[in-house]
Amino acid sequence: MEELGTGSTKWKIGQRVGIGWHGGHNHVTGLTMDGGYAEYMVAFEDGLTSIPNEVSSKDAAPLMCAGETTFSALRNSKARPGDLVAISGIGELGHLAVQYAKKAGFQTVAISRGGDKEKLVRELGAHYYIDSEKEDPAQALKVLGGAKVILATAPNAKVISSLINGLGTDGELIIVAGSGEPLELSAMDFLKGPNTVRGTFTGQSKEIEAAVRFSVLTDVRPMIEVFPLERASEAYDKMMSAKTRFRAVLSISE
């Protein structure tokens, strides 16, 4: 925090703060108001969140976006400690979701393609790994008893649609990332459970604060690749081509 606007009383100069998707006053950061691809930005005071000293600014940035998205989705879900929770897609969202699920006391399943990510997801806390190239994830989840919650973090409509068959009784499929393609679901998919399919839309400052606080308390951290501000275009292109492992972070100090 470098300067305060006239009448602003919520923050003090020198405090570390961050801003998420919701910029305050019905604005969206980076869309309807200037975002953080710059050394300085102007923000509404109620759109900001305090960054605790225990977490670096570089780690805090993904926690306030992908972290909050997956944390809030799990916190607001039907799952309770001990329940089977599956994370589909181990990327920028999924690698954080696995950590949150384990730290929250869920029996955690990670789902991805190929065997190259199994070692990583187990280090992140997953109890089980399902390689979608070798077996059908829905059937594998049924063998484990059926998932109470499946968090779909990969934007693939066909994959998301198939996951509903891996839910247990009164299970919930939560979509946190999706494409514009229609889902392939039938009425019978819902009558078997009963099951729920829903999206999640969060990111207010209080929700971000809760996610960051939980991350600090449980030592959840993102895996990041840091770029100096002058290489922002390179970072963006690498992110859009899914070549970043896992979050691209811009820094004005490097």
Side-chain angles (χ1 to χ4, degrees):
M1 179 72 67
E2 293 290 337
E3 292 186 23
L4 295 175
T6 302
S8 177
T9 59
K10 187 174 181 179
W11 306 101
K12 296 179 180 179
I13 292 177
Q15 278 188 277
R16 284 202 310 152
V17 295
I19 191 168
W21 170 266
H22 294 283
H25 296 266
N26 297 317
H27 280 283
V28 179
T29 309
L31 293 180
T32 63
M33 61 183 287
D34 289 340
Y37 280 42
E39 291 186 62
Y40 298 95
M41 67 175 290
V42 178
F44 294 105
E45 66 175 2
D46 57 357
L48 298 175
T49 301
S50 176
I51 299 176
N53 294 331
E54 294 88 344
V55 63
S56 71
S57 296
K58 294 171 186 176
D59 282 342
L63 294 178
M64 298 177 71
C65 185
E68 185 281 325
T69 298
T70 52
F71 171 77
S72 292
L74 291 171
R75 185 174 70 158
N76 298 330
S77 74
K78 293 181 178 181
R80 296 295 179 265
D83 285 342
L84 187 73
V85 169
I87 311 300
S88 175
I90 307 302
E92 54 183 341
L93 292 161
H95 88 285
L96 285 166
V98 168
Q99 295 179 71
Y100 287 131
K102 170 65 185 317
K103 300 291 187 178
F106 301 134
Q107 191 178 178
T108 305
V109 183
I111 305 171
S112 190
R113 293 179 58 188
D116 58 318
K117 289 185 179 178
E118 181 172 4
K119 182 176 183 294
L120 169 64
V121 296
R122 290 192 180 277
E123 290 174 350
L124 294 176
H127 300 98
Y128 303 97
Y129 178 70
I130 298 174
D131 180 353
S132 62
E133 290 185 341
K134 293 183 178 180
E135 56 185 330
D136 176 59
Q139 292 302 313
L141 289 173
K142 282 294 189 182
V143 171
L144 293 173
K148 188 66 175 181
V149 168
I150 302 175
L151 208 62
T153 75
N156 185 310
K158 186 174 182 180
V159 170
I160 293 172
S161 301
S162 67
L163 290 171
I164 193 172
N165 294 314
L167 292 173
T169 302
D170 195 24
E172 187 176 38
L173 172 59
I174 305 174
I175 302 170
V176 297
S179 66
E181 301 173 353
L183 297 177
E184 301 172 3
L185 300 171
S186 71
M188 286 302 299
D189 291 323
F190 296 90
L191 296 174
K192 294 173 186 175
N195 296 316
T196 301
V197 177
R198 68 175 180 86
T200 178
F201 187 66
T202 54
Q204 300 287 349
S205 58
K206 288 185 178 180
E207 294 164 325
I208 293 174
E209 181 182 2
V212 173
R213 185 169 62 248
F214 184 87
S215 300
V216 169
L217 288 172
T218 60
D219 199 29
V220 171
R221 294 294 185 273
M223 297 177 67
I224 61 175
E225 187 172 349
V226 181
F227 296 83
L229 183 60
E230 57 268 22
R231 291 171 58 196
S233 294
E234 177 189 344
Y236 181 83
D237 291 339
K238 193 170 184 179
M239 175 190 68
M240 293 303 292
S241 60
K243 294 180 179 178
T244 306
R245 190 170 177 136
F246 285 104
R247 293 290 287 193
V249 175
L250 299 180
S251 172
I252 62 173
S253 61
E254 293 187 17

